[in-house]
Amino acid sequence: MDLMVIADNMPAYLAGFRLTAQLTLVSGAGALVIGLAVAAMRVSPLGSLRAFGAVYTELLRNMPLTLIFFFAVLVLPQFGVVLPFGYWTAIICLTAYTSAFVAEAVRSGINAVGIGQAEAARAIGLTFGQSLTSVILPQAVRSVIPPLINVIIALAKNTSVAAGFAVVELVATGRRLAQQNPGDVMLLLVGVAVFYLLFTIPAGQLANLLERKVAFAR
Amino acid sequence: MADSTAVDPAPVVVDGRPTGEPLIVLDHVDKHFGALHVLQDVNLTVHRGEVVVVIGPSGSGKSTLCRTINRLETIDSGTITLDGKPLPAEGRELARLRADVGMVFQSFNLFAHKTVLENVTLGQIKAKRVKPSEARTTAMEILERVGVANQADKLPAQLSGGQQQRVAIARALAMRPKAMLFDEPTSALDPEMINEVLDVMVGLARDGMTMVVVTHEMGFARRAAHRVVFMDAGQVVEEADPETFFTAPRSERAQDFLSKILTH
């Protein structure tokens, strides 16, 4: 057992960490955008949009992420859809999967905004879209910042599924290093854990900070 | 409102009837909430410049009536026309109509995440495409008029109930509406704040605003209304000028209602 094994492999760790961070940030951004749109669909006056939003959310939310990866890699090509392997497959699967959770979090926020807010917005002549973007969503999102950050933290950890699909992020890096240094497996994995914490603990603190910053009384 | 000390409404009525043309017309309106028949064959015409106070026991359908006029509640049958045009179905058309009819709610419903000023500019900017600078000027004028200009940069929750309701009135007025609907505007207020809101409403009435006011404030009805509409069990039971209604109600149900609220 030798702490030096972590220091010696720092470049590999950093490369893995960078990829994990990238997967998290890019998929997270995509999931926020798509999740907001899907949440908006679910409260839309149009039944077809509501139905689409519900099916999308339920399908993706209730399937294991690994299965979504397998579908993307093994099944979609049979229908002529060939995703670029590795990085972009991971981004697409993680985005789709996480967006369903974002949509549910935002939808609960929308439900928590009083019906009176929507009525007041309609009463001054705002269209449905304007009410949603100017009045409802800004309040809804503020009230669900803690669960949204939870979703992003879960995403940070879920990126490890990509390790099984030719993406050398943190977990894949740890596995490789462990194979190369069988005597130091525990230390090497602790190293992996520390890098995850580097990302997820500040995220939790950011949640607290944001929550206080955007708070407003109802 | 500066002239809140004046006593009598301006004489814009002839023989207890306003002289303007019909602005809001409800014709054989019916509505159900499930098995409950909340509006039963309601006919009501509100003329331009007229102030109509709707009173009645709770559950009589008066709030629902008020809310059907800008289609916050849909109706099952009958027609509602505004300024000669029937209410459009959902969509942009309806949004435009709603901008022409101001609405003030019992629970204020100010946009909680926006400042007082932003509450009053939002509709102008989004629904009427007024330039932000212009919208601000208009908003400040109206906030001045309702006496809360000094609160412009605060969030609604930092204001008293009376102030919030006056902001809500300002928010509706900023759209330059043809008519204003008030759905129990003082029912959620502490007693000492009721008058500051009623004074603003009396001022509006004096300025010739067409108003439909659902309220329990009999004093306001006497001071500012041209007509009192009494509802019970989803029906318009009686209509009369305030003096006649309060001193000599014709229907038994109105007599019963008034005896319950005026005896103490």
Side-chain angles (χ1 to χ4, degrees):
Chain A
M1 292 252 286
D2 184 359
L3 269 179
M4 282 311 286
V5 73
I6 292 180
D8 289 345
N9 290 298
M10 198 47 90
Y13 270 122
L14 285 177
F17 177 69
R18 197 179 313 124
L19 202 51
T20 291
Q22 246 181 47
L23 288 172
T24 307
L25 294 176
V26 176
S27 309
L32 284 177
V33 172
I34 295 173
L36 273 175
V38 172
M41 283 181 196
R42 297 205 66 178
V43 295
S44 153
L46 294 177
S48 51
L49 283 183
R50 279 201 305 275
F52 175 85
V55 170
Y56 179 93
T57 310
E58 293 308 324
L59 270 185
L60 287 164
R61 185 170 70 135
N62 294 316
M63 263 202 294
L65 177 57
T66 317
L67 191 64
I68 294 175
F69 268 86
F70 275 121
F71 266 108
V73 173
L74 302 176
V75 179
L76 283 185
Q78 294 181 11
F79 296 96
V81 184
V82 182
L83 297 179
F85 199 61
Y87 181 72
W88 284 106
T89 302
I91 292 283
I92 289 165
C93 293
L94 287 166
T95 300
Y97 179 75
T98 308
S99 66
F101 291 90
V102 171
E104 278 304 272
V106 172
R107 191 169 69 98
S108 74
I110 291 175
N111 290 341
V113 176
I115 181 80
Q117 295 285 310
E119 286 188 346
R122 285 152 71 198
I124 57 168
L126 301 191
T127 60
F128 173 76
Q130 288 171 333
S131 311
L132 204 60
T133 53
S134 306
V135 175
I136 309 299
L137 282 180
Q139 296 187 50
V141 169
R142 280 173 220 218
S143 68
V144 295
I145 283 176
L148 276 182
I149 297 276
N150 272 345
V151 168
I152 298 300
I153 288 174
L155 167 64
K157 298 183 290 178
N158 285 337
T159 55
S160 63
V161 172
F165 296 85
V167 180
V168 190
E169 41 63 77
L170 265 177
V171 164
T173 304
R175 195 173 53 207
R176 283 187 186 185
L177 292 177
Q179 280 163 358
Q180 289 157 12
N181 309 278
D184 295 310
V185 171
M186 193 186 88
L187 258 186
L188 286 164
L189 292 184
V190 167
V192 169
V194 167
F195 271 103
Y196 271 106
L197 296 181
L198 273 181
F199 197 87
T200 50
I201 288 178
Q205 280 165 341
L206 179 71
N208 293 337
L209 188 79
L210 277 178
E211 202 185 353
R212 255 175 289 140
K213 200 147 190 178
V214 302
F216 63 91
R218 287 179 197 250
Chain B
M1 230 43 41
D3 59 347
S4 58
T5 48
V7 196
D8 292 312
V12 299
V13 275
V14 177
D15 294 336
R17 285 282 169 189
T19 50
E21 75 258 40
L23 184 62
I24 302 167
V25 180
L26 285 79
D27 188 32
H28 297 292
V29 169
D30 271 280
K31 179 176 178 70
H32 297 77
F33 280 132
L36 195 64
H37 200 168
V38 282
L39 294 179
Q40 302 181 19
D41 193 29
V42 170
N43 296 289
L44 178 70
T45 301
V46 181
H47 298 81
R48 202 178 291 278
E50 191 180 13
V51 177
V52 172
V53 162
V54 184
I55 66 172
S58 61
S60 60
K62 53 194 195 304
S63 275
T64 308
L65 173 80
C66 185
R67 290 161 56 86
T68 58
I69 297 174
N70 67 352
R71 216 171 183 275
L72 282 180
E73 300 285 354
T74 55
I75 56 176
D76 299 338
S77 64
T79 57
I80 299 176
T81 56
L82 194 97
D83 213 359
K85 285 182 290 246
L87 292 196
E90 284 304 324
R92 262 172 207 288
E93 217 27 42
L94 179 62
R96 252 193 299 279
L97 170 129
R98 283 181 176 141
D100 282 342
V101 183
M103 175 109 191
V104 176
F105 301 89
Q106 179 177 353
S107 48
F108 327 138
N109 294 348
L110 292 177
F111 305 132
H113 63 306
K114 292 195 176 289
T115 64
V116 164
L117 182 63
E118 288 166 342
N119 265 277
V120 185
T121 55
L122 182 70
Q124 300 181 64
I125 295 169
K126 296 277 174 185
K128 293 214 152 164
R129 308 256 170 240
V130 175
K131 269 189 283 173
S133 59
E134 227 172 281
R136 264 195 303 279
T137 313
T138 307
M140 287 311 294
E141 277 171 26
I142 296 173
L143 286 171
E144 191 73 53
R145 193 171 156 204
V146 301
V148 284
N150 54 345
Q151 314 287 334
D153 296 324
K154 292 193 182 162
L155 287 172
Q158 296 170 282
L159 271 56
S160 73
Q163 289 170 328
Q164 289 192 51
Q165 195 59 300
R166 284 184 284 154
V167 173
I169 294 173
R171 175 175 68 183
L173 287 177
M175 304 307 289
R176 305 275 179 227
K178 292 175 183 165
M180 289 277 285
L181 309 173
F182 294 84
D183 186 4
E184 301 204 23
T186 57
S187 299
L189 294 175
D190 290 334
E192 75 270 25
M193 292 169 185
I194 290 177
N195 277 333
E196 64 190 57
V197 172
L198 290 180
D199 286 346
V200 168
M201 291 167 59
V202 170
L204 273 179
R206 298 250 159 80
D207 291 348
M209 176 60 79
T210 309
M211 295 163 64
V212 175
V213 185
V214 175
T215 187
H216 297 294
E217 295 295 330
M218 302 305 150
F220 172 80
R222 282 172 180 271
R223 254 165 97 195
H226 300 125
R227 185 153 49 115
V228 173
V229 171
F230 175 73
M231 285 188 74
D232 190 27
Q235 292 165 326
V236 172
V237 177
E238 186 167 343
E239 288 184 56
D241 65 275
E243 205 43 49
T244 311
F245 179 78
F246 287 116
T247 52
R250 290 189 309 273
S251 64
E252 220 169 278
R253 280 191 278 182
Q255 287 162 10
D256 182 51
F257 177 72
L258 287 175
S259 73
K260 278 177 187 150
I261 59 166
L262 295 178
T263 47
H264 56 85

